[in-house]
Amino acid sequence: SQKIEQNSEALNIQEGKTATLTCNYTNYSPAYLQWYRQDPGRGPVFLLLIRENEKEKRKERLKVTFDTTLKQSLFHITASQPADSATYLCAPRSGGYNKLIFGAGTRLAVHP
Amino acid sequence: GAVVSQHPSWVICKSGTSVKIECRSLDFQATTMFWYRQFPKQSLMLMATSNEGSKATYEQGVEKDKFLINHASLTLSTLTVTSAHPEDSSFYICSATMEGQGAFFGQGTRLTVV
C-alpha cells in the first residue's frame, strides 16, 4: 500500500539556521509532490509544488528537492525564524484528480 | 490565491443529532473536493473524495451512511455527520484542488458532541 513517511519527532533549531525536513514515500509514482504548513487549529496552507521532472524548486526562503529515484523530497527553510514554527506536511500526488493524502507531518520549532 | 470557505467553524451538538458542514470554493469551480478528519496532535486522515454530480468515494473504514457527502454544484460540497456520538468529536477540514496546483483548505470545523 502507499506509504508516506515524515520524521515524527519534532525538529528544534536555532533562529537563523536552516531547517531540513524529509519526506519519503513508497508504492507511489507521483507526478508531483506538494508541501503544506499547518498551524494548530487551522487548515493546511499550500507552500510549494514540485513536479517529477524538476530537481529543485525555490520560493523566497523555501527550497524543495525531489528525487524520484530515492523516492524522497527534502524541504529546506533557510534563515529560519520563530514564525516558521509549525507542522509541515508533504503530499505526493499522481496526476489528475486522484485523492490527496498527507504524511503525518513534522513539527518544527524555531527558537530565538 | 484561491479561497475555500468552510462553515461553521465550530459546532456543539447533542448526541444523536445530525450536523451539516458546508465547504464552498469562492472564486473557482471545484470538480473534486476532499474531506478530512483530524484528531488532536494527529495527522489529517482522508475520509472521502467528493465529486460533483456523482457519489462520493469513501476511504476504507469510513461509514458512508454516517458521513453523508453531497456535492451538488461546482462550488459547494456538504458533509453531514448523522446521529453524532462523542467519538465523532474532531476537527473536520475540506479542501478543493486545482489541477497542477496545490490544494486549498477551508478553515476547518471543530465538532464537539456532548
Side-chain angles (χ1 to χ4, degrees):
Chain A
S1 61
Q2 295 173 334
K3 199 173 179 183
I4 305 166
E5 292 182 346
Q6 293 186 254
N7 289 346
S8 57
E9 293 183 14
L11 178 63
N12 292 284
I13 64 168
Q14 205 69 29
E15 182 176 9
K17 301 292 186 184
T18 296
T20 298
L21 287 70
T22 305
C23 174
N24 294 295
Y25 58 91
T26 54
N27 297 324
Y28 257 108
S29 294
Y32 50 91
L33 189 144
Q34 304 170 19
W35 283 89
Y36 293 78
R37 168 186 174 139
Q38 186 178 24
D39 292 284
R42 309 291 293 271
V45 174
F46 170 70
L47 296 175
L48 276 172
L49 178 153
I50 185 166
R51 300 180 189 279
E52 60 179 337
N53 60 349
E54 298 175 313
K55 295 292 184 186
E56 182 180 296
K57 200 87 170 272
R58 290 175 185 261
K59 180 182 177 183
E60 298 173 353
R61 294 185 295 111
L62 308 181
K63 185 179 86 171
V64 171
T65 63
F66 192 11
D67 189 325
T68 55
T69 302
L70 290 178
K71 294 187 181 296
Q72 180 182 80
S73 176
L74 299 179
F75 178 81
H76 307 271
I77 305 176
T78 58
S80 60
Q81 305 166 0
D84 295 327
S85 299
T87 296
Y88 291 86
L89 310 167
C90 74
R93 192 152 187 239
S94 303
Y97 291 101
N98 293 318
K99 55 189 179 184
L100 183 61
I101 298 175
F102 291 87
T106 298
R107 190 164 60 84
L108 172 67
V110 181
H111 303 282
Chain B
V3 177
V4 173
S5 177
Q6 188 173 339
H7 178 82
S9 56
W10 61 270
V11 58
I12 301 173
C13 71
K14 290 186 177 181
S15 188
T17 61
S18 295
V19 172
K20 180 185 282 188
I21 303 170
E22 291 187 350
C23 181
R24 293 180 185 274
S25 56
L26 297 186
D27 51 0
F28 68 102
Q29 293 182 332
T31 306
T32 302
M33 291 185 175
F34 301 96
W35 287 96
Y36 298 84
R37 180 167 54 183
Q38 187 173 37
F39 293 105
K41 296 188 178 181
Q42 293 189 25
S43 61
L44 286 165
M45 296 302 297
L46 179 65
M47 298 176 67
T49 303
S50 169
N51 302 296
E52 186 267 335
S54 64
K55 291 183 179 180
T57 303
Y58 290 81
E59 293 301 299
Q60 193 172 8
V62 178
E63 300 174 57
K64 61 180 181 181
D65 294 330
K66 180 166 184 63
F67 299 100
L68 299 178
I69 292 173
N70 185 286
H71 194 154
S73 76
L74 287 171
T75 59
L76 174 64
S77 176
T78 61
L79 168 68
T80 302
V81 183
T82 63
S83 186
H85 291 284
E87 57 265 29
D88 298 324
S89 299
S90 187
F91 190 54
Y92 293 86
I93 314 175
C94 69
S95 77
T97 61
M98 298 173 75
E99 181 58 21
Q101 300 186 37
F104 301 96
F105 284 82
Q107 305 93 316
T109 298
R110 173 76 56 194
L111 171 64
T112 302
V113 184
V114 298

